[in-house]
Amino acid sequence: MDDIKAYIAENRERFIEELIELLKIPTISADSAFSQDIYNGAEAISKALSDAGCDVVEICETKGYPIVYGEKTIDPSLPTVLVYGHYDVQPPDPLELWDSPPFEPTIRTNELHPQGAIFARGASDDKGQVYMHVKALEFMVRKNLLPCNVKFMIEGEEEVGSESLSDFVRENHDKLANDIILISDTGMIANDIPSITTGLRGLSYVEVEVMGPNRDLHSGLYGGAVANPINILAKMIASLHDENKHITIPGFYDKVVELSEEERAAMAKAPFDLEAYKNALDIDSVYGEKTYTTNERNSIRPTLDVNGIWGGYTGEGAKTVIPSKAHAKISMRLVPDQDWHEITDLFSKHFEQIAPPGVRVKVTPHHGGESYVTPIDSIGYQAASKAYETTFGKVPVPKRNGGSIPIVALFEKELGTKSILMGFGLDSNAIHSPNEHFGIWNFLKGIETIPYFYKYYSEMMK
Amino acid sequence: MDDIKAYIAENRERFIEELIELLKIPTISADSAFSQDIYNGAEAISKALSDAGCDVVEICETKGYPIVYGEKTIDPSLPTVLVYGHYDVQPPDPLELWDSPPFEPTIRTNELHPQGAIFARGASDDKGQVYMHVKALEFMVRKNLLPCNVKFMIEGEEEVGSESLSDFVRENHDKLANDIILISDTGMIANDIPSITTGLRGLSYVEVEVMGPNRDLHSGLYGGAVANPINILAKMIASLHDENKHITIPGFYDKVVELSEEERAAMAKAPFDLEAYKNALDIDSVYGEKTYTTNERNSIRPTLDVNGIWGGYTGEGAKTVIPSKAHAKISMRLVPDQDWHEITDLFSKHFEQIAPPGVRVKVTPHHGGESYVTPIDSIGYQAASKAYETTFGKVPVPKRNGGSIPIVALFEKELGTKSILMGFGLDSNAIHSPNEHFGIWNFLKGIETIPYFYKYYSEMMK
């Protein structure tokens, strides 16, 4: 395995060039205008897997976007690692805030990335991190160092709820049979503080519509006398949190597993600099649920955030209108043992119930997923920890992550195996934001670290 | 004057055709993309005034859009009527709710308009109502029946705050000298219940911006730990009304003139059918300030309405983002003796003050205007009342209107004369909404009634 450093040094420019080509494809799953690009993205991933040494590569059609499946079996009696990732990306808006176009990857250096970072939508989430696994496989196959079997399952709907993947997993237990699932779709604390994600939050994403009068009204003639859907929507949203920033939906917290004081004390030991956090976001204060720290609020506590709101006149200048309708997209991050279907139901019932007379309300669930926790005493976690220790020179910190990869809980339920979340990105990578990027150092460090996971995992499974 | 009926019958088709041509020009003052159309609109009004018999017609340039001035002086010793109106229109969005394109005027009949109505943006507000005055002048000039002098002042910025007109009025006291101002930019209760507007609400229109983190954030990684500008904006907007729907801005009601029980009892006698009102809007309940009726809420009470709101991801599908910023356009309708500058200041200070730590707030005033009341014992009102009585066969009802024509209070302050608000539209005309229209019956009835105002006013002023 120690050849990996030399292999990376030899192939560094090619690896970067290949990733840049992949990042040029605008695989935006949320917007059907980019449908053909998604198919082109699947083709590109499929070719990359073949080139890296997979014996079997399939583009599996679904009722949504295709799943790219790849396989390299060296001996059926050896363990099998299933690599999961996604080739779809978040929409890049607001476009005007990008310093370079989101689908014209550009390398720039900054303080955190003196070796340069690739700026492009999907650079970190998740094409760049998927591509580390492809190149790690290439190394192991070419150097004849692959110590076990490997399968790839790279989907195109992660950013919109992985609906087709859920069906695919349910229907393909044999094909996807594995001993451990390996995922790089999270980050680590810092380049000098490696960490492994041990938990993910669940998600319930809904869209709400508040409907008032049957047409837009003149705010002079009707103002004050009829319910204004925007004012009502604001009032309803505001009422979803109390003065302590607790969520007010009845039953919302019923199944939340509270951490013990010991667990919270252990969490509090993870390196964290509140001033640096505030400075990085240019905010004068953090904001959140009373009696919890920032790191607790964004990982072990459930949340409710409005992700988008719109209604009435939003153009230049002034229009004195009371709109007929107002809308919002709302997501809730969930923690063990909240059930996302149940939370979606609780939200819908509550939101409909608090609508005042004079308006009607419609709640449309978008998608969701369960939360997930990885035990740190498992072989998978230990192998990953040892791999990071080998290449970073430090034992990685176990860390709960506030994000959601809804499919991870389903993998465990359907395939019976745990997922190891080996992320190499940073929180500052601006995933889902303008100027998303992925450090070249991080990209290459991922390629370097992954083969050691295979090595240690195979050794520990013997 | 009794020739007017025959004159209308002879020229009916021409009048409608001319108005339709005028309505084809998209004179949207709120959107600078339509700047050239505004100038074309001014040209069209100028030509119409010349054709109708004005001796002097000028397109007066301003620092904004031009004001069209027209004049017909028959004898300087006679009284002068100044007609005010506007040729600019509200933006037509949302376009998809129009049954025919907003700038392709279409005549359709419906229950309220068996003779047909012209559907187009500006049909009622205010091109159609301005054009009644132009055609009434044409009749009086051609038949040599004009009993006094007349001036026209038709502006192009009414829908965005009449800023240039304010300067124009301040700088042209002599040019605009008059005995009474005549305005048709309001409506009446119903075709069989004529009414004259005796009051207008003032207006303060502001835009607010709530700024949180310096970039859009991933709602998983940051959700729950930083202030979400949309949630905060919703909370701040919600807090602007209390549980009785009173506005909570400190000092907001300090100068409001409360009507006496007698005045409220007199108002309550105006014909009003709450069930029909609710049915027309397809709402199950009205909504507004406790202890006031619907007709009080929309005329003698101040209000606060959000006219537009936007922030975060508003496209197709789902995006799990905490946006950096959220925005709203907010208007307040004001009543005597609220001062719009003072209210704008009170709003701004309050809104900035209630922003929680973790966000910054910016309030940008758009425009505003004072409220206005016309005394019904004035000669101007009495002449208008008699004119309606002559052509409708009924004494019109005096009625306070919830809308705002900010310039009317300024006219009184600068020119020292009262404005008579002779509107011929209906509340159902959908001004500021999709499918704005103006009944052909109403258009022609206006042309018929206006010459009688000139007649009675001149007689009473002798």
Side-chain angles (χ1 to χ4, degrees), chain B residues 222-372:
Chain B
Y222 292 92
V226 299
N228 176 330
I230 305 178
N231 288 69
I232 299 295
L233 176 60
K235 191 179 154 84
M236 291 173 73
I237 289 170
S239 80
L240 296 175
H241 289 93
D242 70 15
E243 67 282 11
N244 293 321
K245 317 325 185 265
H246 288 300
I247 294 159
T248 57
I249 299 166
F252 186 83
Y253 291 100
D254 282 1
K255 297 198 176 161
V256 169
V257 176
E258 296 282 346
L259 266 64
S260 66
E261 284 311 310
E262 291 70 29
E263 286 170 304
R264 292 179 67 182
M267 267 195 75
K269 285 184 192 150
F272 180 70
D273 180 341
L274 185 62
E275 284 310 307
Y277 183 89
K278 289 193 292 184
N279 287 340
L281 301 177
D282 196 15
I283 53 177
D284 61 6
S285 175
V286 291
Y287 184 97
E289 200 182 358
K290 207 171 167 179
T291 73
Y292 291 93
T293 67
T294 291
N295 270 339
E296 290 172 336
R297 287 168 177 169
N298 67 24
S299 64
I300 61 163
R301 295 299 296 169
T303 66
L304 185 152
D305 270 298
V306 183
N307 301 115
I309 193 166
W310 68 103
Y313 184 67
T314 59
E316 193 189 342
K319 187 179 170 187
T320 48
V321 66
I322 293 177
S324 172
K325 293 176 183 177
H327 306 81
K329 293 179 195 264
I330 297 176
S331 67
M332 289 158 281
R333 298 285 169 172
L334 310 177
V335 300
D337 289 329
Q338 290 177 298
D339 175 286
W340 81 266
H341 290 102
E342 190 183 334
I343 292 293
T344 304
D345 282 350
L346 289 176
F347 176 91
S348 302
K349 276 183 199 132
H350 179 64
F351 206 74
E352 282 159 12
Q353 195 248 311
I354 61 175
V359 300
R360 284 160 300 135
V361 160
K362 189 171 139 196
V363 179
T364 308
H366 265 296
H367 64 269
E370 306 300 357
S371 59
Y372 178 76

Side-chain angles (χ1 to χ4, degrees), chain A residues 30-33 90-94 97 121 125 159-160 201 203 205 207 212-228 230-238 241-243 245 277 279-289 294-295 297-299 301-324 326-327 329 331 333 356-360 366-367 401-404 426-434, chain B residues 30-33 90-94 97 121 125 159-160 201 203 205 207 212-228 230-238 241-243 245 277 279-289 294-295 297-299 301-324 326-327 329 331 333 356-360 366-367 401-404 426-434:
Chain A
D31 187 343
S32 52
Q90 280 276 319
D93 352 23
L97 296 184
R121 171 57 85 230
D125 178 19
E159 300 294 2
V160 293
R201 289 196 282 195
L203 180 71
Y205 198 113
E207 188 158 325
N214 55 7
R215 58 182 169 92
D216 286 4
L217 300 177
H218 185 292
S219 72
L221 302 185
Y222 292 92
V226 300
N228 175 331
I230 303 178
N231 287 70
I232 300 295
L233 176 60
K235 192 179 152 82
M236 292 172 72
I237 289 170
H241 289 93
D242 70 14
E243 68 281 11
K245 286 52 160 211
Y277 183 88
N279 287 341
L281 301 175
D282 195 15
I283 53 177
D284 61 5
S285 175
V286 292
Y287 184 97
E289 200 180 359
T294 291
N295 269 339
R297 287 167 177 170
N298 68 23
S299 65
R301 296 299 296 168
T303 66
L304 185 151
D305 270 298
V306 183
N307 301 114
I309 193 164
W310 68 103
Y313 183 68
T314 58
E316 192 190 341
K319 189 179 170 188
T320 48
V321 66
I322 294 177
S324 172
H327 305 81
K329 294 180 194 265
S331 68
R333 297 284 169 172
V359 301
R360 285 160 299 135
H366 266 297
H367 64 269
N401 180 301
S404 306
L426 301 177
D427 278 4
S428 56
N429 282 164
I431 68 169
H432 293 211
S433 299
Chain B
D31 187 342
S32 52
Q90 280 275 319
D93 354 21
L97 296 184
R121 171 57 85 228
D125 178 19
E159 301 293 5
V160 291
R201 289 198 278 195
L203 180 70
Y205 199 114
E207 189 159 325
N214 55 6
R215 59 182 169 92
D216 287 5
L217 300 176
H218 185 292
S219 73
L221 302 186
Y222 292 92
V226 299
N228 176 330
I230 305 178
N231 288 69
I232 299 295
L233 176 60
K235 191 179 154 84
M236 291 173 73
I237 289 170
H241 289 93
D242 70 15
E243 67 282 11
K245 317 325 185 265
Y277 183 89
N279 287 340
L281 301 177
D282 196 15
I283 53 177
D284 61 6
S285 175
V286 291
Y287 184 97
E289 200 182 358
T294 291
N295 270 339
R297 287 168 177 169
N298 67 24
S299 64
R301 295 299 296 169
T303 66
L304 185 152
D305 270 298
V306 183
N307 301 115
I309 193 166
W310 68 103
Y313 184 67
T314 59
E316 193 189 342
K319 187 179 170 187
T320 48
V321 66
I322 293 177
S324 172
H327 306 81
K329 293 179 195 264
S331 67
R333 298 285 169 172
V359 300
R360 284 160 300 135
H366 265 296
H367 64 269
N401 180 302
S404 307
L426 300 176
D427 277 4
S428 57
N429 282 163
I431 68 170
H432 293 209
S433 297

